[in-house]
Amino acid sequence: MKRNKWIITTILLIIVMLTACGTKKQESVKTKTQEETKENTEEKKTTEEYVAGTSQDDATLIPEGKKITGKLKSYEEGWYSFKTGNDAGTSYSISFLVSTMQGKLWCNLYDESGTKIEYKPSFDDGKAETITLDNLEKNKTYCFSLESATNATIGYTFIVRNSNEDVTVVNQNISESKGKLQDEDIIPGSNQYDATLIPLGTKVYRELEKNNHNAWFAFTTGDEVGDIYNITIINRSNDVRSVFCSLVDEYGEVLDSENSSDDGKASTIAADQLDINTTYYVGVTTDEASTTEYSLFVKDSNSENTAYRTVENVPEARGTSNTDEIYAGSNQDDPAWIPFETEVSGTVKKGSGKAWFAFNTDENSDTTYKITLTNHTQDSYAVYAILRDEFGESIGKNIVCSGGKTATTDFTKLKPNTPYFIQLLTDVNSTNDDKLEYSFMVKTSNDKNVLSMNAKKTFEVPFEINETQIQFVANKATFIDEATAKEVLKPVAEAILANPDNAVLISGTTATYGTQESCVELSNRRAEAVKNLLVKTYKVPDSQLQTVGLGYEADPFERGADVNSNGDFVESEGKKNRRVVILDVDDPIAQEILR
């Protein structure tokens, strides 16, 4: 009996021990799971959850390389902290900015004892300011306060980085420009870290609203060392003295700046020492109190491109205005496009630089262009004609013509198939009259080109209609908005109907997506859709129109880089390649396509 009791007791003891071990194991597993959950939660923690502390004692610990946002009430402080790593000699930086339209922000850095190490202000221009520190101790906690210095609630954004990290701060949800926009598809950011990314070579047209004089854009450089990036801005407002443009790196350092005045000339920052595959920021501002119109584009001038250039407006494509009279433009964005061998006359106000004309060179690089200027106002000082490229740089000698005289200048080595601009201006005190009368003419040494001009081609330059103007249903030849398509194609139809003897080619192209065979078929159907709309809506003769689908491999025109170096498709660039291009059948480019 005692032995049985001993056996039972032993069995019970073993059961208790096993149960305890199991419980301990379960608790261990549970603890580990809780720790993993905690770690995962930290990884998923968003910037909004990093709520600032109210003092150094409860400063919020933030990770390096993460963009943090927050708000401060009037003269309020927000406290954060970060830990240095194990490596001695590591450089740390705190980049911060005011993300609202008003306010001033101070950043004050302290060590563990509360001693202030560094401080710096940031203003409401949307540009980042950076505190850089090279002598912080390793494995230490440092605190910094962001202090509002304005009588209003302000927003802020900041990021802490060390020199061992590769972090580029750019908003990942930014809208991207698709070309010359007539709607609200592209809204510039109000600060550097909310900048709107624009593709290289794409011109955007925007305006600075009254009392909102900060606009921010961003662009990404390519992978070619030594490329020159031209950031070009044009002040399109006649009554605004200056529009300022600044090129800024991710730390807020201003690399260069330009001022576009009210003479309508393009102003360009030529940046030749930018890092490859890096995001840079462009800030646009003005000190005027009125709404300001401007255009902006960023171009990689070193990119070798043998593709043909297209334009996105009918007047430039036609090479002249639709009427017998040619009226000077007020800025380099809106010049009067003039034909060769045609005398242009008009008046220009004294001291004014707002008479703008333009012409497209032919396909020959050895053509000489002769500009003849006459000042018809007797006893006056000079009228000047300045030839400029698209970046606003003057080309060759200026043409200077005093009262009652004629002057001529030859221009050689102009780039083929390229627009050039003529700016007319006068001396401020050139005459007692308010205006000077002038006339000028552009001639060319290429007799073949003159004959071509006299033949009155419908389109001197291929005219592009892309997704900016009209859109198709995905993978179909159906217009998303047929009414808009009709409106866009109306001036095209008018140009074609004005030249009934000229046949026109409508070429469809696609993004680099899918097989070439399927893209040829799709682009051909879309070209046919454009043709059918012109025929049915505007009664353009069917016999005057030809269509062709090029897909992407046979596209001879300038294309967006819609496949990056990793082989990934870039939608923002792909949008530029889904288009139809309209040009004369007799154009050498059209003949090349048809062959």
Side-chain angles (χ1 to χ4, degrees):
M1 184 66 118
K2 288 183 180 181
R3 183 180 178 184
N4 290 340
K5 286 183 179 181
W6 179 83
I7 293 173
I8 293 172
T9 303
T10 301
I11 293 173
L12 289 174
L13 181 60
I14 292 172
I15 293 173
V16 170
M17 290 176 66
L18 289 174
T19 303
C21 289
T23 303
K24 186 175 182 180
K25 184 176 181 181
Q26 287 178 351
E27 288 176 352
S28 176
V29 171
K30 182 179 180 181
T31 301
K32 184 177 180 181
T33 303
Q34 288 174 338
E35 289 174 354
E36 289 177 346
T37 302
K38 184 178 180 181
E39 289 176 2
N40 293 335
T41 302
E42 285 296 323
E43 290 178 0
K44 296 178 181 179
K45 200 171 185 180
T46 63
T47 60
E48 289 77 11
E49 291 178 303
Y50 290 97
V51 179
T54 57
S55 67
Q56 184 170 351
D57 289 338
D58 68 345
T60 300
L61 182 65
I62 52 103
E64 294 172 18
K66 193 176 186 69
K67 188 169 67 173
I68 310 296
T69 62
K71 290 184 179 180
L72 291 172
K73 295 180 180 179
S74 174
Y75 300 104
E76 185 181 24
E77 282 187 315
W79 285 84
Y80 297 91
S81 65
F82 65 94
K83 291 183 178 180
T84 57
N86 297 322
D87 299 326
T90 301
S91 176
Y92 293 84
S93 65
I94 305 172
S95 297
F96 60 102
L97 58 78
V98 178
S99 61
T100 47
M101 288 172 52
Q102 59 179 341
K104 180 180 178 182
L105 183 70
W106 280 95
C107 181
N108 306 286
L109 180 67
Y110 301 88
D111 62 16
E112 291 180 336
S113 67
T115 302
K116 184 182 290 188
I117 300 173
E118 187 63 84
Y119 61 94
K120 201 169 192 179
S122 175
F123 299 91
D124 56 3
D125 57 1
K127 186 179 75 67
E129 297 290 344
T130 297
I131 294 176
T132 302
L133 302 137
D134 300 322
N135 54 353
L136 297 186
E137 297 181 40
K138 63 180 182 179
N139 298 318
K140 292 285 185 179
T141 298
Y142 288 86
C143 297
F144 62 93
S145 68
L146 296 177
E147 179 183 356
S148 168
T150 186
N151 191 25
T153 298
I154 62 171
Y156 61 83
T157 301
F158 73 89
I159 183 170
V160 177
R161 285 171 284 202
N162 71 59
S163 57
N164 296 329
E165 294 178 326
D166 183 15
V167 179
T168 297
V169 186
V170 62
N171 186 358
Q172 298 302 311
N173 298 314
I174 49 188
S175 59
E176 296 180 341
S177 168
K178 298 177 292 184
K180 181 174 179 179
L181 302 180
Q182 305 295 335
D183 51 28
E184 300 303 317
D185 283 348
I186 178 171
I187 305 298
S190 61
N191 62 76
Q192 182 177 335
Y193 290 161
D194 193 28
T196 299
L197 187 67
I198 56 175
L200 295 175
T202 298
K203 182 176 285 189
V204 293
Y205 292 74
R206 298 305 303 170
E207 61 182 27
L208 292 166
E209 297 292 343
K210 191 174 182 179
N211 299 323
N212 183 13
H213 293 319
N214 292 314
W216 283 90
F217 301 89
F219 68 95
T220 302
T221 57
D223 53 10
E224 293 294 329
V225 177
D227 278 11
I228 298 175
Y229 294 87
N230 288 315
I231 300 97
T232 301
I233 188 166
I234 297 176
N235 178 2
R236 293 166 51 85
S237 295
N238 294 331
D239 56 348
V240 173
R241 293 188 300 273
S242 297
V243 177
F244 303 95
C245 177
S246 299
L247 175 64
V248 179
D249 68 11
E250 62 180 326
Y251 298 99
E253 180 181 354
V254 178
L255 305 179
D256 206 344
S257 61
E258 269 291 338
N259 170 26
S260 181
S261 63
D262 59 357
D263 63 359
K265 182 183 76 68
S267 296
T268 298
I269 297 171
D272 59 356
Q273 294 182 333
L274 301 185
D275 295 332
I276 63 172
N277 300 316
T278 301
T279 298
Y280 289 88
Y281 304 85
V282 179
V284 180
T285 187
T286 179
D287 54 9
E288 297 289 330
S290 57
T291 299
T292 305
E293 294 185 12
Y294 64 92
S295 68
L296 175 76
F297 69 93
V298 182
K299 190 172 184 179
D300 181 356
S301 295
N302 286 3
S303 294
E304 292 295 330
N305 193 345
T306 58
Y308 295 109
R309 172 178 169 270
T310 63
V311 297
E312 296 180 18
N313 61 80
V314 173
E316 185 176 354
R318 299 197 67 188
T320 183
S321 59
N322 294 330
T323 64
D324 293 333
E325 293 188 76
I326 298 175
Y327 297 98
S330 62
N331 60 73
Q332 195 169 333
D333 252 341
D334 295 308
W337 292 89
I338 58 174
F340 300 124
E341 303 290 334
T342 300
E343 184 177 82
V344 178
S345 60
T347 60
V348 60
K349 292 182 180 180
K350 62 180 182 180
S352 171
K354 297 178 182 177
W356 285 89
F357 302 88
F359 64 90
N360 281 298
T361 57
D362 62 23
E363 65 273 11
N364 300 308
S365 59
D366 58 352
T367 300
T368 297
Y369 299 87
K370 187 185 298 289
I371 300 178
T372 300
L373 173 67
T374 301
N375 181 352
H376 293 287
T377 303
Q378 299 290 335
D379 302 322
S380 66
Y381 291 97
V383 173
Y384 299 87
I386 304 174
L387 185 67
R388 299 187 182 277
D389 64 13
E390 63 179 323
F391 305 114
E393 294 295 323
S394 60
I395 307 296
K397 291 175 57 179
N398 296 341
I399 307 172
V400 184
C401 190
S402 57
K405 296 185 178 181
T406 298
T408 299
T409 299
D410 291 350
F411 296 91
T412 59
K413 298 181 179 180
L414 299 186
K415 294 179 180 180
N417 298 313
T418 301
Y420 284 88
F421 305 85
I422 299 172
Q423 179 188 20
L424 294 183
L425 65 158
T426 66
D427 287 331
V428 176
N429 299 316
S430 60
T431 177
N432 292 327
D433 299 329
D434 287 336
K435 298 180 179 179
L436 296 181
E437 295 184 9
Y438 66 86
S439 64
F440 73 93
M441 181 185 296
V442 181
K443 298 181 180 180
T444 173
S445 63
N446 190 341
D447 294 335
K448 182 179 178 181
N449 183 63
V450 175
L451 291 173
S452 174
M453 293 301 301
N454 291 335
K456 294 185 67 175
K457 289 168 63 177
T458 304
F459 300 106
E460 295 299 331
V461 184
F463 172 59
E464 170 185 318
I465 300 174
N466 56 36
E467 285 197 348
T468 301
Q469 292 89 22
I470 59 176
Q471 290 182 298
F472 289 95
V473 176
N475 299 316
K476 294 184 178 180
T478 304
F479 296 110
I480 290 178
D481 186 343
E482 188 169 313
T484 298
K486 289 179 180 179
E487 182 181 348
V488 169
L489 289 171
K490 182 178 180 181
V492 178
E494 292 173 348
I496 297 172
L497 290 170
N499 297 275
D501 296 330
N502 294 354
V504 169
L505 179 66
I506 303 174
S507 308
T509 71
T510 67
T512 313
Y513 195 86
T515 65
Q516 166 68 358
E517 291 76 14
S518 63
C519 287
V520 166
E521 191 271 336
L522 176 62
S523 59
N524 187 59
R525 287 193 290 117
R526 287 180 171 176
E528 284 287 339
V530 171
K531 173 185 174 180
N532 292 337
L533 191 149
L534 289 170
V535 171
K536 293 178 181 179
T537 304
Y538 298 108
K539 309 305 179 186
V540 176
D542 183 277
S543 59
Q544 203 175 346
L545 305 175
Q546 295 185 43
T547 61
V548 63
L550 301 172
Y552 52 84
E553 289 182 1
D555 184 359
F557 304 107
E558 289 182 343
R559 292 177 58 82
D562 55 11
V563 177
N564 64 23
S565 58
N566 296 324
D568 300 323
F569 183 73
V570 183
E571 174 60 25
S572 60
E573 294 291 312
K575 291 175 180 177
K576 298 161 65 175
N577 300 328
R578 301 187 190 105
R579 59 190 172 179
V580 293
V581 180
I582 304 174
L583 66 165
D584 285 48
V585 167
D586 292 336
D587 191 299
I589 304 172
Q591 292 298 306
E592 179 184 322
I593 290 173
L594 294 173
R595 280 196 298 269

